[in-house]
Amino acid sequence: MNRIFFIGLLAALLGVICNLSFLIYTIRYKITNGISYHWISLVITTDLLWIWYNIEIKSLPLIISNILSLIILISVLLLKIIYEKKKIASHFKKKNCGCLESCPCDHDLDK
């Protein structure tokens, strides 16, 4: 294994650490308001394409990092879905209203 391989491995590791910190923040604070479904879908699609490309060029460090990043991003997506369902269920339970996604009541879903 040569020096270039280890540089790629280090870059891949640092990229995964960046994504991991995003996941840890999401778990710790349970805040996903700033994450749109469009954005995370686009990032997941991009990661899938990078995995495909890196398999074609046989770049093991990038294959590994993109697979790990994909796992992290899918975890963030699942957390977003879970946290939003809990927030909406909590809203209905507390306020006992019949409203759905766009709440016309005088209360806010974020509180």
Side-chain angles (χ1 to χ4, degrees), residues 54-67:
N54 291 316
I55 288 171
E56 293 293 326
I57 66 168
K58 297 175 179 61
S59 176
L60 187 60
L62 293 175
I63 293 169
I64 293 169
S65 76
N66 285 125
I67 288 173

Side-chain angles (χ1 to χ4, degrees), residues 20-33:
L20 191 58
S21 67
F22 184 53
L23 176 63
I24 291 169
Y25 179 88
T26 304
I27 291 169
R28 179 178 291 159
Y29 297 107
K30 295 179 178 34
I31 297 173
T32 59
N33 296 350

Side-chain angles (χ1 to χ4, degrees), residues 89-108:
S90 172
H91 168 77
F92 290 139
K93 192 174 184 179
K94 286 180 187 175
K95 302 299 180 181
N96 199 19
C97 67
C99 57
L100 295 174
E101 291 179 29
S102 144
C103 183
C105 303
D106 60 349
H107 50 274
D108 189 5

